[in-house]
Amino acid sequence: MNTLILRTVAPFITALMLLFSVFVLLRGHNEPGGGFIGGLIAASALAIYGIAYGVSAVRRAIRFHPMSIAGFGLLVAVVSGVISVFAGVPFMTGLWIYPTLFGVEVPLATVVSFDIGVYLVVVGAITSIALALEERDHD
């Protein structure tokens, strides 16, 4: 299904879906959403781009191997949980810090870094599967 209309609209749809996936990721624990759902939306966006332009275009767009992205996400998620052990609380306990950026106090939590790790794991794993299936179909 590589039509002119799809190739024309795919970059806009992909950008919009990636932006929405980050929105869903960041609203995570306060409302429905989080790393898993955001990662699925981002992987779907990359799949649409891959259908329109091919596997090589997606690989160029993401710049890293999808399994490397998944591995880095797993590392971020594990480190987010281990930080609490070093703080003397049980594993995976949420910890907050409140740095001041440009005169505004910004609450940052290990919960957010865990969600980012899950997001990267899902994006990397699902994109890797989708690209492998797409490559197999074209052989």
Side-chain angles (χ1 to χ4, degrees), residues 54-66 127-128 131-132 135:
V55 173
S56 60
V58 174
R59 291 193 187 278
R60 281 192 310 271
I62 60 176
R63 297 199 177 142
F64 297 102
H65 192 280
T127 301
S128 180
L131 292 178
E135 283 175 340

Side-chain angles (χ1 to χ4, degrees), residues 30-97:
N30 298 328
E31 295 179 22
F36 186 78
I37 300 301
L40 287 177
I41 294 169
S44 299
L46 294 173
I48 289 172
Y49 193 75
I51 290 169
Y53 288 100
V55 173
S56 60
V58 174
R59 291 193 187 278
R60 281 192 310 271
I62 60 176
R63 297 199 177 142
F64 297 102
H65 192 280
M67 290 310 291
S68 296
I69 294 171
F72 180 72
L74 185 61
L75 177 69
V76 169
V78 169
V79 167
S80 297
V82 171
I83 288 174
S84 60
V85 173
F86 290 118
V89 293
F91 179 68
M92 295 294 288
T93 301
L95 300 174
W96 283 260
I97 59 171

Side-chain angles (χ1 to χ4, degrees), residues 11-28:
F12 300 109
I13 291 174
T14 301
L16 189 61
M17 286 178 73
L18 288 173
L19 186 63
F20 182 65
S21 76
V22 171
F23 170 74
V24 169
L25 164 70
L26 293 178
R27 79 178 208 168

Side-chain angles (χ1 to χ4, degrees), residues 71-128:
F72 180 72
L74 185 61
L75 177 69
V76 169
V78 169
V79 167
S80 297
V82 171
I83 288 174
S84 60
V85 173
F86 290 118
V89 293
F91 179 68
M92 295 294 288
T93 301
L95 300 174
W96 283 260
I97 59 171
Y98 299 93
T100 302
L101 299 173
F102 304 110
V104 177
E105 188 176 75
V106 179
L108 296 176
T110 56
V111 174
V112 175
S113 62
F114 177 78
D115 264 350
I116 291 170
V118 170
Y119 178 89
L120 292 173
V121 168
V122 172
V123 169
I126 300 297
T127 301
S128 180

